Amino acid sequence: MTIKETQLEVLDEMSMFDESIEKMEYLIDMGRTLPKIDDKYKTDEYQIKGCQSDLWLNAELIDGKIVFTASAAAMIPRGIIAVLIRVYSNQKPEDILNDDTNAFIKAAGLNDFFQMTRSNGLEMMIRQIKLYALALETKIKN
């Protein structure tokens, strides 16, 4: 599936819920599907800085596509990173870099789950995904 196809699938799933509590339960369920990060990556180097919850993200290039794994201590950040991984894992770095992630975040209402003081964590998750994509795209080209 392409990034856009996966985003549309997530948006379709989320549109079934009218209440914020239902969307929150969806995110918690998504968090249960999170591809677990190996404990060796639970270090400062892989930790998402700026996130109030402990959250680690790793990316590996496999057959020209990025495969993400993560771990998060809190349920909502775990669910949100699971959604992001669902969308961006197994995609080419250039496709991740070219995607308008902010438009997806807005359409999905993922910002709605954070107070202003915590929205920095979501921005840092997206930033780290894009940084991994940039680094791995460079690796492919060299």
Side-chain angles (χ1 to χ4, degrees), residues 6-28:
T6 307
Q7 288 174 341
L8 289 173
E9 188 176 80
V10 170
L11 292 173
D12 186 51
E13 290 169 7
M14 292 188 82
S15 73
M16 295 186 294
F17 309 115
D18 294 326
E19 303 293 326
S20 292
I21 192 76
E22 293 171 322
K23 289 181 181 179
M24 194 174 300
E25 289 171 359
Y26 169 83
L27 287 176
I28 291 168

Side-chain angles (χ1 to χ4, degrees), residues 111-136:
N111 277 327
D112 299 344
F113 295 97
F114 291 103
Q115 299 168 343
M116 287 300 289
T117 57
R118 303 193 102 196
S119 64
N120 190 44
L122 176 58
E123 291 175 24
M124 297 310 289
M125 289 179 211
I126 295 164
R127 181 174 177 261
Q128 190 59 49
I129 286 170
K130 297 281 186 170
L131 285 173
Y132 275 129
L134 182 60
L136 294 171

Side-chain angles (χ1 to χ4, degrees), residues 3 33-38 41 46 48 56-62 65-71 81-93 95-97 125-136:
I3 289 173
T33 70
L34 184 65
K36 300 285 188 244
I37 196 168
D38 190 298
Y41 297 114
Y46 298 92
I48 302 290
W56 298 269
L57 179 67
N58 183 48
E60 295 181 48
L61 191 63
I62 301 174
K65 295 183 178 181
I66 300 178
V67 176
F68 291 100
T69 56
S71 180
I81 197 68
V83 168
L84 294 173
I85 286 176
R86 178 176 168 190
V87 170
Y88 296 110
S89 201
N90 295 303
Q91 300 293 335
K92 294 178 184 173
D95 294 337
I96 295 170
L97 291 169
M125 289 179 211
I126 295 164
R127 181 174 177 261
Q128 190 59 49
I129 286 170
K130 297 281 186 170
L131 285 173
Y132 275 129
L134 182 60
L136 294 171

Side-chain angles (χ1 to χ4, degrees), residues 34-45:
L34 184 65
K36 300 285 188 244
I37 196 168
D38 190 298
D39 283 341
K40 71 182 180 183
Y41 297 114
K42 287 185 177 180
T43 64
D44 286 345
E45 181 180 349

